[in-house]
């Protein structure tokens, strides 16, 4: 029997890219005769005609399946819905905008089949077409998160990867509400081979990431996979307590030896403001973790399905 491959495709306002992507996948599928390829398109609450495109594709091709959310839940939720519903022996996540070239799939499948790997992931080695300031922040982010967490994230890593069934089950079991897939892929382990490729610009439509969106996403990544900011906050508190202790000793001794000349108002205010600032910063850091915990304990679903091509999908999870 042929082995099956499910391609999970998160789509948000991709009506222009989706037909181009579908054609490219069909071309690749023709090359891969030994496998049954199917597409699992996830409509993440698109505001354009993406759902209609999906319905048309599903009507004309039985390999195309779709799931449509009740609103926009974000790419992380779309990928999770894909993992929860993908049935293939091999499963891949791939963007609809052609930035993850489907032409890499045959090579990725060959690696999983012939070599001892559980997943093949891709990383882009160039960042052409991206503002330099954004690339700089991205590089800083990878450096920081790899120093302070055990998530092990490769610089330039894309979400585009092909994996075995075993790995998919591990990802589905990671049911945390605050999802950061790059961290999750690294955290669960498994042997991964990295395929470098040159950055490709999207064929149509536009990116959904603003600079602030990416900035917030990177803070989420750090908070989700590292307790280092909390340790830094405690350490700062400890250092300041020690400094304050010696300052108090110094002031008492000075008072006893030299009396109490009234001076140092300005420096006192500076110290109070400084310590106040550090305290607020540390409370802010604690607040970040608390906010995540709050969302986590509420156990709200990651996604809600409004329509789908198949009956037996996991509708709410
Ligand atoms: N996407 C999604 N939900 C969102 C935002 C994006 O499903 O809320 C999808 C989008 O349709 C695309 C993929 O995630 O297939 C990557 O998005 P984008 O191309 O905007 O990100 P970039 O490639 O610039 O990192
Ligand atoms: Mg893209």
């Amino acid at each position: 029997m042929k082995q099956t491959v499910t391609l999970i495709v998160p789509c948000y306002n991709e009506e222009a890219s989706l037909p181009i992507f579908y054609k490219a996948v069909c071309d690749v599928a023709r090359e891969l005769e030994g496998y049954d390829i199917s597409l699992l398109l996830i409509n993440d609450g698109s505001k354009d005609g993406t759902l209609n495109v999906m319905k048309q594709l599903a009507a004309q091709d039985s390999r195309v399946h779709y799931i449509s959310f009740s609103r926009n839940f974000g790419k992380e939720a779309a990928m999770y819905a894909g993992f929860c519903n993908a049935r293939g022996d091999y499963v891949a996540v791939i963007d609809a905008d052609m930035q993850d070239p489907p032409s890499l799939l045959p090579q990725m499948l060959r690696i999983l089949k012939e070599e001892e790997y559980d997943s093949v992931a891709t990383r882009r080695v160039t960042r052409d077409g991206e503002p330099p300031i954004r690339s700089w922040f991205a590089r800083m982010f990878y450096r920081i998160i790899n120093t302070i967490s055990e998530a092990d994230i490769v610089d330039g890593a894309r979400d585009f990867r092909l994996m075995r069934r075993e790995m998919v089950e591990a990802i589905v079991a990671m049911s945390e509400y605050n999802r950061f897939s790059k961290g999750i892929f690294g955290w669960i382990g498994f042997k991964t081979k990295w395929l470098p490729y040159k950055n490709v610009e999207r064929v149509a439509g536009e990116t959904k990431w603003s600079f602030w969106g990416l900035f917030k996403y990177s803070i989420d990544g750090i908070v989700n996979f590292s307790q280092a900011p909390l340790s830094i906050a405690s350490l700062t508190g400890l250092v300041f307590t020690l400094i304050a202790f010696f300052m108090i000793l110094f002031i008492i001794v000075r008072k006893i030896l030299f009396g109490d000349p009234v001076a140092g108002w300005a420096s006192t205010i500076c110290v109070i403001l400084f310590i106040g600032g550090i305290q607020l910063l540390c409370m802010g850091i604690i607040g970040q973790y608390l906010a995540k915990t709050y969302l986590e304990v509420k156990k709200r679903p990651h996604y809600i399905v409004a329509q789908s091509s198949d009956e037996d999908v996991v509708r709410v999870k």
Side-chain angles (χ1 to χ4, degrees):
M1 215 174 88
K2 277 189 183 177
Q3 283 190 304
T4 50
V5 182
T6 308
L7 304 181
I8 299 171
V9 194
C11 302
Y12 178 53
N13 296 345
E14 301 285 5
E15 66 175 353
S17 329
L18 207 49
I20 306 172
F21 171 79
Y22 171 72
K23 264 195 77 194
V25 170
C26 287
D27 291 344
V28 171
R30 234 166 278 132
E31 264 177 63
L32 292 168
E33 280 186 341
Y35 300 92
D36 265 333
I37 311 255
S38 66
L39 282 172
L40 180 54
L41 309 173
I42 318 287
N43 175 31
D44 184 13
S46 300
K47 298 191 170 53
D48 63 359
T50 303
L51 180 59
N52 282 336
V53 176
M54 288 181 179
K55 283 181 175 166
Q56 275 167 21
L57 292 176
Q60 74 190 53
D61 187 340
S62 62
R63 298 170 302 176
V64 178
H65 307 265
Y66 68 85
I67 288 177
S68 183
F69 287 175
S70 60
R71 65 168 171 88
N72 178 257
F73 281 89
K75 186 183 177 187
E76 290 289 345
M79 290 197 286
Y80 191 59
F83 285 123
C84 293
N85 289 292
R87 302 274 169 266
D89 301 315
Y90 298 100
V91 174
V93 180
I94 181 164
D95 285 0
D97 59 5
M98 298 294 286
Q99 281 193 296
D100 300 336
S103 55
L104 286 177
L105 283 169
Q107 187 188 356
M108 293 163 96
L109 274 166
R110 208 173 317 124
I111 291 170
L112 283 198
K113 186 123 207 172
E114 289 164 11
E115 296 176 35
E116 288 286 300
Y117 286 102
D118 302 298
S119 100
V120 186
T122 56
R123 55 184 283 256
R124 48 180 184 174
V125 284
T126 56
R127 287 176 167 272
D128 302 344
E130 192 180 71
I133 178 89
R134 194 155 147 174
S135 308
W136 184 82
F137 270 102
R139 268 198 303 277
M140 285 297 294
F141 165 71
Y142 287 115
R143 199 171 303 158
I144 293 173
I145 196 157
N146 281 324
T147 320
I148 64 176
S149 81
E150 50 191 53
D152 185 21
I153 302 171
V154 175
D155 187 359
R158 307 261 322 160
D159 290 328
F160 180 28
R161 61 165 77 209
L162 179 74
M163 61 201 92
R164 287 180 199 284
R165 186 81 240 149
E166 293 76 14
M167 196 161 162
V168 175
E169 271 152 36
I171 294 169
V172 172
M174 299 273 285
S175 59
E176 61 215 71
Y177 185 78
N178 297 285
R179 299 187 74 76
F180 182 65
S181 285
K182 289 186 173 74
I184 292 175
F185 293 148
W187 193 92
I188 56 174
F190 291 100
K191 260 188 89 184
T192 299
K193 178 160 184 156
W194 287 94
L195 277 189
Y197 74 100
K198 279 217 182 88
N199 190 33
V200 188
E201 294 198 31
R202 58 161 47 239
V203 281
E206 52 194 44
T207 177
K208 280 86 199 174
W209 288 106
S210 65
F211 183 80
W212 277 113
L214 274 179
F215 187 74
K216 267 174 51 196
Y217 186 57
S218 58
I219 299 283
D220 279 353
I222 291 173
V223 173
N224 285 345
F225 278 92
S226 169
Q227 277 95 48
L230 285 175
S231 312
I232 294 170
S234 330
L235 200 70
T236 318
L238 190 70
V239 169
F240 274 90
T241 313
L242 283 177
I243 293 176
F245 179 72
F246 285 111
M247 274 162 79
I248 290 167
L249 271 187
F250 171 77
I251 286 166
I252 291 174
V253 170
R254 196 178 62 171
K255 161 92 182 160
I256 292 168
L257 293 184
F258 304 105
D260 188 18
V262 181
W265 182 85
S267 54
T268 310
I269 293 294
C270 288
V271 170
I272 290 175
L273 283 181
F274 181 60
I275 308 243
I278 300 265
Q279 274 178 340
L280 283 179
L281 177 74
C282 294
M283 272 168 62
I285 293 174
I286 298 170
Q288 286 286 329
Y289 285 88
L290 193 61
K292 297 267 177 235
T293 316
Y294 180 56
L295 286 174
E296 220 53 74
V297 293
K298 279 205 277 197
K299 290 216 176 300
R300 285 188 176 163
H302 298 84
Y303 67 87
I304 298 167
V305 173
Q307 295 181 45
S308 60
S309 55
D310 302 64
E311 279 304 313
D312 57 340
V313 297
V314 184
R315 293 190 174 274
V316 182
K317 182 149 176 170

